[in-house]
Amino acid sequence: MIKTKENKISIHYNRPALANYQLDALFNDSRYAIVESSTKAGKTAACLVWIIEQALQGKTGQDFWWIAPVYGQAKIAFRRLKAGLPRESYTANESDLTLTLINGARIVCKSAEKPDNLYGEDVFAAVFDEASRAREEAWHALRSTLTATRGKVRIIGNVKGRKNWAYKLARKAESGEPGMSYQKITAYDAIDAGILSEDEIEDARRQLPDNVFRELYLAEPSDDEGNPFGMIAIRDCVQPMSDEKAVCFGLDLAKSVDFTCLIGLDKQRRVCALERFQKSWNDTISTVREIVGTIPCLVDSTGVGDAVLESLQKDGRRNFEGFKFTQSSKQQLMEGLAVAIQKQEIGFPDGVIVNELESFEYEYTRTGVRYSAPSGMHDDAVCALALANSKAGTQKPRVIYKQPNHYSQQCY
Ligand SMILES: Nc1ncnc2c1ncn2[C@@H]1O[C@H](COP(=O)(O)OP(=O)(O)OP(=O)(O)O)[C@@H](O)[C@H]1O
Ligand SMILES: [Mg+2]
């Protein structure tokens, strides 16, 4: 609330209720607070409160920054800031993502995509959100802006392997470096505080590959550097090509520069057929129909795949079934494959399948987990294997994360 008294503005501010771990991790005296946290534990929410409080203690001409890896995330923070402040307490510049508070201090939400654009200002306090997913150069730039002001910074995020600057900085803070504080927040801390529900976390534990669950909910870095299947688990599934009959197939179609890949599994879910080629659509269709015959086959029917599926199904070949790739359907498909690999329920020969599985990556985004090959590499064999595995019938439906319903969006 804001009141005017004898020409002076006094700002009456009530901090929203925060969990103890949010307060301990962020509202402390350290200049650098580093937090490695479970997803959805409330790190962004607590930091939004923190940056508002820093700015409320500032004055005209002082800048307070919120940095996110990409512009879209900076915009989300901007929207959440506005939602958390009384309308009369700020003016907003939507194109610069800037809020000017009643005391003249500015909160500016910025993207870390172009670190060079972050140099040059004096910043009085800052938050670096999703730090493990942003470029190190952006941290160097932000650090330079805090030099003249000796400004405080909160660096928060999920863990994402060990090969990133946020991980290294967290280890420094954890070892007791002067001026730094470190806190790890797990999903269980958030359950105790009533921010996350236990059912939800147990469900995530059942549905997600172990190493993904550990990174996302326990803040434990994976040794596999973002590989969702697990390097050791992949190796444990390697066995010679089976010479038994296929009971199902998975078909990933070449879209542009990729390969078409067809994989067959026998009744013990061992790879018994593997074809990888680049041909015209007509030749692709006749080759696939010849190899597959009347055996069930799950086909990537995304985009142009729809028309190919129709041709495959001609003459009543209903054993060809379509599968449309979206971020969430791919997530579900890949998680089914990851579970099969980690339980050694599937077998495949060394070579292209193993190479692609080993280089496959996952990335946590606001809309879920995105699975893909690193840029410039192929994932057709992984997709074909995942489709065949799905057809073999192991997948349980994945339950999508739901927000706890006791929380009112207004306050944060
Ligand atoms: N102290 C709190 N009390 C109740 N609800 C809270 C509290 N802190 C955060 N929340 C709610 O919990 C949910 C997750 O919060 P938030 O987005 O800040 O988490 P996060 O750790 O930043 O998650 P992500 O991994 O997606 O970045 C949001 O709906 C938020 O409003
Ligand atoms: Mg967040």
Side-chain angles (χ1 to χ4, degrees):
M1 279 223 290
I2 297 124
K3 270 197 216 160
T4 318
K5 215 168 41 178
E6 296 155 6
N7 291 335
K8 282 190 181 163
I9 292 167
S10 70
I11 300 171
H12 292 254
Y13 166 81
N14 294 320
R15 178 183 289 170
L18 294 174
N20 284 340
Y21 66 75
Q22 291 173 308
L23 295 169
D24 294 345
L26 301 159
F27 295 76
N28 57 40
D29 290 338
S30 65
R31 182 163 176 214
Y32 307 92
I34 324 287
V35 179
E36 290 182 310
S37 163
S38 160
T39 180
K40 306 294 172 205
K43 54 192 175 303
T44 299
C47 277
L48 291 169
V49 175
W50 183 82
I51 201 75
I52 288 171
E53 291 189 13
Q54 297 297 309
L56 285 175
Q57 294 165 57
K59 56 184 184 203
T60 303
Q62 294 188 346
D63 275 2
F64 297 81
W65 279 8
W66 183 280
I67 312 258
V70 297
Y71 179 78
Q73 288 164 321
K75 214 168 163 182
I76 290 169
F78 181 70
R79 209 185 57 218
R80 286 177 73 172
L81 279 168
K82 285 199 304 179
L85 285 166
R87 185 61 199 90
E88 65 279 12
S89 66
Y90 64 84
T91 52
N93 182 327
E94 301 285 333
S95 52
D96 292 350
L97 302 186
T98 298
L99 292 181
T100 305
L101 301 188
I102 194 104
N103 62 355
R106 302 192 322 156
I107 303 178
V108 190
C109 300
K110 286 178 169 279
S111 137
E113 284 158 297
K114 293 197 178 129
D116 286 348
N117 295 354
L118 299 175
Y119 282 97
E121 302 283 340
D122 282 338
V123 175
F124 285 76
V127 171
F128 204 132
D129 196 9
E130 299 293 355
S132 57
R133 296 168 209 291
R135 295 169 59 184
E136 182 164 13
E137 295 87 333
W139 160 236
H140 296 164
L142 174 64
R143 177 65 191 78
S144 76
T145 66
L146 298 162
T147 305
T149 57
R150 301 193 56 77
K152 286 182 172 182
V153 59
R154 270 48 196 142
I155 298 172
I156 58 174
N158 305 123
V159 301
K160 179 86 183 83
R162 295 170 204 267
K163 286 187 199 152
N164 58 75
W165 64 274
Y167 177 83
K168 288 179 203 135
L169 204 63
R171 301 292 68 77
K172 233 178 175 179
E174 196 178 26
S175 70
E177 185 89 356
M180 296 181 104
S181 70
Y182 170 75
Q183 181 133 342
K184 175 181 181 136
I185 300 169
T186 71
Y188 295 101
D189 299 319
I191 291 171
D192 289 344
I195 292 176
L196 284 177
S197 86
E198 189 162 4
D199 291 356
E200 192 50 49
I201 302 312
E202 284 317 308
D203 186 68
R205 187 195 281 283
R206 282 194 300 275
Q207 303 295 337
L208 292 172
D210 186 55
N211 51 342
V212 177
F213 178 81
R214 286 179 175 280
E215 286 208 325
L216 290 183
Y217 291 90
L218 304 182
E220 290 175 8
S222 163
D223 286 327
D224 298 317
E225 296 300 338
N227 182 293
F229 306 113
M231 296 301 185
I232 295 170
I234 294 171
R235 285 283 151 195
D236 285 345
C237 293
V238 174
Q239 48 181 275
M241 183 85 106
S242 157
D243 51 16
E244 297 206 7
K245 279 200 314 229
V247 296
C248 62
F249 283 92
L251 175 65
D252 188 60
L253 293 166
K255 289 295 155 57
S256 46
V257 292
D258 219 352
F259 289 85
T260 288
C261 187
L262 176 67
I263 287 180
L265 296 177
D266 69 14
K267 62 176 183 302
Q268 286 170 289
R269 242 192 286 172
R270 296 171 304 189
V271 171
C272 57
L274 168 59
E275 301 290 334
R276 197 163 176 263
F277 51 82
Q278 283 174 314
K279 293 182 178 176
S280 69
W281 286 127
N282 278 346
D283 290 349
T284 297
I285 290 159
S286 55
T287 305
V288 169
R289 279 169 65 105
E290 196 181 317
I291 297 170
V292 170
T294 56
I295 292 164
C297 179
L298 195 56
V299 180
D300 161 19
S301 59
T302 324
V304 62
D306 218 13
V308 176
L309 174 67
E310 261 180 42
S311 304
L312 288 167
Q313 288 173 330
K314 271 205 180 114
D315 317 319
R317 293 271 200 101
R318 291 291 152 192
N319 57 315
F320 289 101
E321 189 195 329
F323 181 95
K324 291 225 185 301
F325 278 98
T326 63
Q327 185 179 331
S328 74
S329 75
K330 190 169 185 182
Q331 174 177 352
Q332 185 174 332
L333 193 74
M334 290 304 164
E335 281 164 8
L337 180 60
V339 169
I341 289 175
Q342 281 161 22
K343 291 188 176 161
Q344 283 187 52
E345 290 172 347
I346 191 163
F348 36 76
D350 213 345
V352 61
I353 297 179
V354 172
N355 292 344
E356 284 191 13
L357 286 169
E358 285 184 346
S359 56
F360 209 68
E361 289 178 340
Y362 73 89
E363 183 193 352
Y364 182 71
T365 71
R366 295 199 72 83
T367 48
V369 186
R370 186 188 300 135
Y371 292 85
S372 61
S375 56
M377 299 185 72
H378 298 292
D379 68 355
D380 50 272
V382 176
C383 292
L385 187 68
L387 288 164
N389 177 62
S390 169
K391 197 70 211 165
T394 53
Q395 300 230 97
K396 293 187 195 121
R398 182 173 144 68
V399 179
I400 303 300
Y401 174 82
K402 289 187 211 79
Q403 295 286 350
N405 55 12
H406 57 266
Y407 166 68
S408 139
Q409 190 69 39
Q410 292 302 85
C411 329
Y412 299 86

